[in-house]
Amino acid sequence: MNKSLKLVNLTTHHLRDVASDQEFPPSGTVAKVDYHRTSDNLRIQGYAKEIKVSTTHYKNIVGLPPFDKDNNILYVVSAFIINALAHNNDNRTDIVAPGPKITGAGNQTVGCNSFRFNG
């Protein structure tokens, strides 16, 4: 992908890409997803206690503009939104999430080293 894109940050966080030393402030619009979780307890052979296993059920995603392959905009959303899109088999090419975080002194997050597409 070598075309010039506008980046729109749909998270509540000020994002810093450490690799390019660039910062992206929140746009003021936040993408969110409605969800609920269910859980169950599983007994593991050879162990006395059960473990809890949960499933996330994703519903509506709000605050995410409709896909337009010609608008030259790259939207940054949370990893949670990327997971919801993957769960719904929605492989939009205009959406990324922050990649692995970079931590500094005191294990404080200072940014990410890349952004990742869904899938």
Side-chain angles (χ1 to χ4, degrees), residues 55-98:
T55 302
T56 302
H57 304 272
Y58 300 101
K59 297 180 182 179
N60 298 326
I61 298 173
V62 295
L64 193 59
F67 177 67
D68 179 353
K69 66 179 177 68
D70 298 320
N71 71 1
N72 293 326
I73 297 176
L74 190 62
Y75 298 103
V76 181
V77 299
S78 68
F80 200 67
I81 299 290
I82 287 280
N83 292 342
L85 290 167
H87 179 78
N88 294 331
N89 294 316
D90 187 342
N91 293 315
R92 288 180 57 168
T93 56
D94 63 336
I95 297 175
V96 294

Side-chain angles (χ1 to χ4, degrees), residues 7 9 11 13-24 76-79 96-104 108-116:
L7 189 140
N9 179 357
T11 76
H13 304 285
H14 192 93
L15 301 175
R16 179 168 179 250
D17 178 30
V18 175
S20 68
D21 195 28
Q22 296 183 91
E23 297 188 14
F24 306 100
V76 181
V77 299
S78 68
V96 294
K101 69 180 179 178
I102 304 293
T103 57
Q108 293 292 318
T109 301
V110 296
C112 63
N113 69 355
S114 66
F115 292 89
R116 67 180 180 96

